[in-house]
Amino acid sequence: MDRFEYIEARLFDGENYVKRDKNVKIYDGDDKTQFTDGEVVLTTHRILWGKPGDIPKGLVCLSLHLYYVFFVEEESGGVFGLGGPKRIILNLSPALPGKRPGPAVVSAYHFVKFSFKDGIDPAFYKALKDTIAAKAWERSLATPVQSSSLASTTTSTKPSVASVNSKIRSGIVGIERSIEEQQKATDQSISVAFQDLTKLMEKAKDMVAISKAISTKIREKQGDISEDDTVRFKSYLMSLGIDDPVTRDAFRSDSDYYMGLAQQICDMMVAVLMDCGGIMSLADVWCRVNRARGLELISPEDLLNACKLLQTIDAPMSLRKFPSGACVLQLNNQRDDEVAKNISGLFEDNEFLTPVKLSQIANVSVLLAREHLLITERLGMACRDESMEGLTFYPNLFLRQVT
Amino acid sequence: MRRRAGLGAIQKQKLEQEKYREKGSEIQENQFQQMSKQLEVFRENLEEFATKHKNEIKKNAQFRRQFQEMCAAIGVDPLASGKGFWSVLGIGDFYYELGVQIVEVCLATNYKNGGLITLEELRTRLIAARGKAKKHQEITNEDLLAAVKKLRIFGNGFSVVPIGKGKWLVQSVPGELNLDHTLVLQKVSSLGTAWVSSSILTDDLGWTQTRANNALNYMIKEGLAWVDTQDSKEKLLWFPSMFSDCVSA
């Protein structure tokens, strides 16, 4: 019993879970001990014994290094030779100096017994024998404990790279362990990567993957990474990034620069504009463009200059200034002739249109609706009826009779 | 595993399954907590790097992209310049960064406030989204006003309205794009009364008083609504364009 140590139930580096069993009682030699009805976990290096549930939680348990065990046998027969063997006898070599404290300081016996209430599981017994025969602790890198106590006896220096890859895990403990290890590894790689900028640059790809994995997991569980509207919106805007933003340095003249900028803005905004009704205020555009560019901000002046050039590059959108002074970026299908065509189409179903009515049909603001009606009128596709009741527009009947 | 039979075995099996389920959810819970912790670590680190190494990050195109991706995933703002020397003169990225963040806050909240926000709320939200570092807390209302000023070039689509006593409202939706008036009209037509009051708007649409008044005043100004002061409690607004609906109803 003096070979046992108290230790938290965690695997050492290179140590792997092998098998477990439950309802196990420990005998110190032939004497009963207080350690009854526990759980044993066999690893490549040790046997752990703990109260049910303690080991998966990583609480303190009893640990016996397998290098103490030189011989394993089944105790012959039950009390009357019935029901098959119930106990495994582990014959142990003397305790080594420098070991951690255990439940007993001295023991009269050189063996312990594990008694299995439900009988010995042949698979467990076999696994135990095989593990002891395999002597994994001699192959792998010395653990912190071993290196202090066994520095002289272990000669191996080969790191346990291979064993990490060839892990075989089973059972809940195995799953828990592997999750725990994964998390530890992630924690570590995050802290390494963020030591300084060069490290982060080297590991950028992994870090991007990790950051995405984390946020996906959290989104699954919680809906989103943050309760804050602004943070969510920010994160959304930034995810629509531009790979290599146009910068002033790359161009010889300002006009070339604005041209390049206009092209990029056009490429980026087409989809956005289509999503939100074909029209967007310039402040809004400026925010989105800059978010997509990341750290390469452009000034409002640059944006305005670039937008003025949109027409020269045949972009499907253009800058528009309302009489009120507000600047917007507008898709060309919102251009005057297109607008007029749409509205004259609406006259099919409506006898007449007022700005208010149109605003409700087309879900645009009243002001914009009136603007649109005036455009239609200017292009000769609607006629106004101005009266006490306000401004109404009727289809141009002359147009109809001609066709 | 040995095969067991009988009622006891079934019950035991059930119990075991129950335990497995419990264990499963316990593991998941643990994992989630770990992830949240990692998210925090990531956030802190990214915030710090964004502040300290801005220029180096800017130089390397590939890394810049990756950094942006990380920030997007975790929800960190890479724009975190301090005021710096040049900002005294209004030059430098600081005010542009603020500008971007201001517009962003306005856009993110305008589904709630219709594009009208007090400068105070704007500042609180902006700072919260910027990060925990101390220097972000030092952003003043004056800084925000200076940043908004830079947006004037876009016409009056983005403007600051003084409401007295050192308070301001920031309006981020230009009249042409403001759908509030449409919402008012929809409300009126659904009521079937042809009139509405600001209390109806605040109660039914969850608007603030300012938002409701802003929309109604505009409609009066534009001649869409007529004022009726005969009601004892409050001012009613009638919409002549809705009269016909009343008659036919």
Side-chain angles (χ1 to χ4, degrees), chain A residues 157-385:
Chain A
T157 49
K158 201 178 143 208
S160 56
V161 178
S163 67
V164 172
N165 294 333
S166 60
K167 271 174 201 167
I168 303 163
R169 296 187 181 284
S170 56
I172 295 175
V173 187
I175 295 169
E176 283 189 301
R177 287 282 152 79
S178 67
I179 289 174
E180 197 180 292
E181 266 171 37
Q182 244 173 29
Q183 274 165 351
K184 250 192 210 159
T186 315
D187 277 347
Q188 206 158 37
S189 57
I190 292 175
S191 64
V192 167
F194 279 102
Q195 269 169 10
D196 61 55
L197 195 67
T198 33
K199 287 250 170 57
L200 184 61
M201 285 191 180
E202 277 166 28
K203 309 213 171 206
K205 216 172 157 198
D206 297 341
M207 286 301 115
V208 170
I210 291 179
S211 67
K212 285 187 177 161
I214 292 177
S215 77
T216 331
K217 258 272 163 14
I218 292 199
R219 263 175 236 267
E220 262 171 32
K221 183 92 181 174
Q222 191 176 268
D224 221 309
I225 46 168
S226 170
E227 305 270 297
D228 194 324
D229 288 334
T230 314
V231 172
R232 291 209 296 245
F233 190 61
K234 191 194 299 285
S235 153
Y236 160 72
L237 287 185
M238 283 195 293
S239 64
L240 311 168
I242 296 178
D243 275 329
D244 56 316
V246 171
T247 57
R248 197 182 284 263
D249 309 342
F251 292 91
R252 250 178 285 160
S253 71
D254 270 6
S255 61
D256 284 351
Y257 166 59
Y258 291 135
M259 208 67 121
L261 201 55
Q263 188 58 53
Q264 200 160 60
I265 290 168
C266 165
D267 293 345
M268 181 202 145
M269 291 304 296
V270 171
V272 181
L273 279 175
M274 288 215 266
D275 277 352
C276 57
I279 187 166
M280 190 182 271
S281 85
L282 222 50
D284 193 340
V285 174
W286 182 67
C287 171
R288 282 169 196 261
V289 168
N290 271 329
R291 271 304 178 203
R293 291 171 63 91
L295 291 165
E296 291 287 348
L297 298 183
I298 57 169
S299 67
E301 290 81 7
D302 285 351
L303 178 73
L304 200 63
N305 286 326
C307 285
K308 282 178 186 158
L309 293 177
L310 280 170
Q311 272 174 324
T312 58
I313 60 166
D314 275 333
M317 63 189 74
S318 53
L319 180 68
R320 165 133 191 240
K321 202 162 182 172
F322 282 107
S324 69
C327 292
V328 296
L329 199 59
Q330 200 171 36
L331 280 181
N332 283 352
N333 67 6
Q334 303 271 319
R335 230 169 32 202
D336 293 1
D337 43 345
E338 299 279 338
V339 167
K341 217 158 87 191
N342 280 340
I343 288 178
S344 51
L346 287 176
F347 279 126
E348 307 277 311
D349 305 322
N350 301 280
E351 191 194 342
F352 63 92
L353 284 172
T354 63
V356 172
K357 204 166 166 188
L358 178 62
S359 77
Q360 278 165 324
I361 294 171
N363 199 27
V364 294
S365 67
V366 183
L367 218 85
L368 202 60
R370 189 163 73 178
E371 190 86 14
H372 284 174
L373 284 169
L374 290 173
I375 289 167
T376 319
E377 183 196 27
R378 205 164 56 233
L379 293 179
M381 289 156 106
C383 300
R384 74 165 66 202
D385 175 15

Side-chain angles (χ1 to χ4, degrees), chain A residues 73-121:
Chain A
E73 60 185 317
E74 284 173 286
E75 195 180 53
S76 48
V79 184
F80 302 105
L82 297 168
K86 286 203 164 181
R87 293 175 192 163
I88 296 176
I89 302 174
L90 304 174
N91 293 291
L92 306 175
S93 54
L96 290 165
K99 91 174 201 20
R100 286 159 177 270
V105 184
V106 285
S107 170
Y109 298 97
H110 285 296
F111 63 94
V112 290
K113 290 189 218 170
F114 283 104
S115 169
F116 296 79
K117 206 173 181 180
D118 304 317
I120 297 170
D121 181 359

Side-chain angles (χ1 to χ4, degrees), chain A residues 324 326 365-368, chain B residues 156-157 171 173-179 181 218:
Chain A
S324 69
S365 67
V366 183
L367 218 85
L368 202 60
Chain B
N156 61 0
Q171 179 163 16
V173 177
E176 282 82 353
L177 302 186
N178 192 339
L179 285 173
H181 311 131
Y218 184 86

Side-chain angles (χ1 to χ4, degrees), chain B residues 131-150:
Chain B
K132 290 188 191 112
K134 184 168 166 274
K135 65 170 187 182
H136 299 323
Q137 315 302 319
E138 289 163 359
I139 292 170
T140 62
N141 284 351
E142 283 65 39
D143 290 334
L144 297 184
L145 291 174
V148 172
K149 219 179 257 177
K150 301 220 172 282

